[in-house]
Amino acid sequence: MKKNKTRSKKTKETAKKQKVKNQENKKLNTKTEQQLIWISYTAILMVIGLIFFKYLPMYLSEGNILYDASYHVLFTILLLYILWFFIDQKKSWRIPYFIFSGALIIIVSLQRIIAQEHNEVGIILALLIGAVSIIIPRWKEFMGGVKF
């Protein structure tokens, strides 16, 4: 009789642990799905920005211009944004990651200016498109304030 009670107690504990594990997995899947949605919206907004501020000006001016938005800077911002979801798991990595991201964006921007592929206007356009593309899908979070 005691064996059955012990087994039933263990079974109940196991069932509770499994239920908690399933809830955690569900939360993880929901968080991952939300992150993928944010990344998708951000990428779509960046493509729209590139169409209006890179390809349309190039088409209208019929040549190689310097003031079009930089694809290289936007692509760097998108990659850093995707990497952010992995870095965000550890709070101690956040500030060093922001420093690394800023340095990388500055290096890519300066390289594009030195190579005379873009001027300051093109770089600023790319930075604005990147920032707006990240902020719009997460507007509610940014209105609540940015936390580090």
Side-chain angles (χ1 to χ4, degrees), residues 26-27 30 40-43 45-46 50-51 56 59 63 73-74 84 86 88 94 113 116 118 148:
K26 190 174 183 180
K27 286 180 185 177
T30 304
S40 300
Y41 284 153
T42 299
L45 289 171
M46 285 183 176
L50 277 174
I51 289 170
L56 192 60
Y59 175 76
V73 173
L74 268 178
W84 168 251
F86 297 104
D88 190 36
R94 289 181 181 177
I113 292 172
Q116 295 184 351
H118 297 282
F148 290 101

Side-chain angles (χ1 to χ4, degrees), residues 103-147:
L104 189 62
I105 291 170
I106 289 170
I107 290 169
V108 171
S109 299
L110 289 175
Q111 187 276 331
R112 300 310 294 164
I113 292 172
I114 291 170
Q116 295 184 351
E117 295 294 327
H118 297 282
N119 63 7
E120 298 81 16
V121 174
I123 300 300
I124 290 172
L125 274 174
L127 293 173
L128 286 174
I129 292 168
V132 168
S133 297
I134 290 171
I135 291 172
I136 287 177
R138 302 179 79 165
W139 184 252
K140 290 179 184 175
E141 289 182 39
F142 281 94
M143 290 305 292
V146 180
K147 298 174 186 171

